[in-house]
Amino acid sequence: RAPLLLYAGAHSRAGGIDRLIRALPLLKTAGVRLLITGQGKGLDREITRACETTPGVEDLGMVNDDHLAELASAAHVLVNPRPLNFEANQTNFPSKLLDYLSHIRPVVSTRTDGIGPGYDDLVHFTATDEPSDIAKAIDDVLQMDDHERDRWMKRVALAVNLMTPRRVAADFTSWLTRTGIVMSPVQRTGGAVT
């Protein structure tokens, strides 16, 4: 069957959907299809036009959670192409990555500042947010041999099983501190012990 990519998110430039659509014709892997789900279908004329005119793109709009889970399970790669220079993405908690990883499927993503090093073994990161680099990262994942992909998915499954509410809360707190949204006790006191 044809390789299937899934983008689940807002139909906006902030989510990078425009870059992903421009990456599709640059793929070396033949016959790749891109399914797009999420809110905002039809709100951005350029994105709507690109969805309608780019071969292999199917925009499903909003789908319910059960349908999204089916699509994610069928996908060969889940893609998170957030632009690196979009200011809001600098402090964006990677909740989409957590959701994507919960499906135990390969994930390709840009690396925004909000993504910590704990994702290095779980996500295949693009070199940049340019469509050519997004395409290369997707091709790299689609060309992985079964053994390499299976080892990767075992690491993802183990990590997902360890994501207890306490662990996610600790990761979120660490992210708040790392992005400067909330200062750590040491930052608040200027290094003095209180």
Side-chain angles (χ1 to χ4, degrees), residues 86-107:
F86 190 73
E87 188 174 334
N89 288 340
Q90 303 307 310
T91 56
N92 189 20
F93 182 72
S95 57
K96 183 184 291 189
L97 290 184
L98 292 174
D99 183 54
Y100 275 4
L101 291 169
S102 73
H103 296 287
I104 320 295
R105 304 301 299 151
V107 176

Side-chain angles (χ1 to χ4, degrees), residues 39-57:
Q39 64 184 359
K41 180 177 179 179
L43 294 180
D44 184 306
R45 288 183 184 161
E46 288 182 39
I47 291 173
T48 300
R49 189 174 319 112
C51 288
E52 293 170 350
T53 61
T54 304
V57 175

Side-chain angles (χ1 to χ4, degrees):
R1 69 182 181 161
L4 183 64
L5 309 178
L6 177 66
Y7 171 88
H11 289 55
S12 72
R13 295 173 201 288
I17 190 173
D18 55 322
R19 294 167 188 268
L20 178 56
I21 294 169
R22 289 196 321 263
L24 202 60
L26 304 176
L27 290 169
K28 293 182 175 151
T29 306
V32 176
R33 292 178 44 229
L34 169 62
L35 296 182
I36 298 170
T37 68
Q39 64 184 359
K41 180 177 179 179
L43 294 180
D44 184 306
R45 288 183 184 161
E46 288 182 39
I47 291 173
T48 300
R49 189 174 319 112
C51 288
E52 293 170 350
T53 61
T54 304
V57 175
E58 185 177 353
D59 188 350
L60 303 175
M62 288 295 293
V63 299
N64 66 39
D65 289 343
D66 290 339
H67 190 194
L68 182 59
E70 289 173 17
L71 295 171
S73 293
H76 293 87
V77 181
L78 308 176
V79 188
N80 181 41
R82 287 188 171 273
L84 302 178
N85 63 352
F86 190 73
E87 188 174 334
N89 288 340
Q90 303 307 310
T91 56
N92 189 20
F93 182 72
S95 57
K96 183 184 291 189
L97 290 184
L98 292 174
D99 183 54
Y100 275 4
L101 291 169
S102 73
H103 296 287
I104 320 295
R105 304 301 299 151
V107 176
V108 166
S109 180
T110 52
R111 184 190 279 280
T112 58
D113 287 345
I115 299 173
Y119 293 90
D120 289 347
D121 287 340
L122 307 176
V123 174
H124 188 82
F125 289 105
T126 63
T128 71
D129 61 357
E130 291 299 318
S132 58
D133 285 326
I134 294 170
K136 182 183 180 321
I138 292 168
D139 275 328
D140 288 347
V141 170
L142 291 174
Q143 299 306 317
M144 277 183 181
D145 65 54
D146 290 343
H147 180 70
E148 184 179 5
R149 188 175 27 262
D150 289 347
R151 283 193 353 244
W152 179 18
M153 291 305 96
K154 284 179 183 175
R155 287 192 310 269
V156 170
L158 178 62
V160 167
N161 287 334
L162 293 174
M163 287 185 187
T164 63
R166 182 182 301 253
R167 169 78 187 272
V168 172
D171 287 350
F172 183 64
T173 302
S174 173
W175 171 82
L176 287 170
T177 303
R178 190 173 59 255
T179 59
I181 293 172
V182 173
M183 292 189 299
S184 72
V186 171
Q187 290 170 317
R188 281 195 302 268
T189 61
V193 178
T194 58

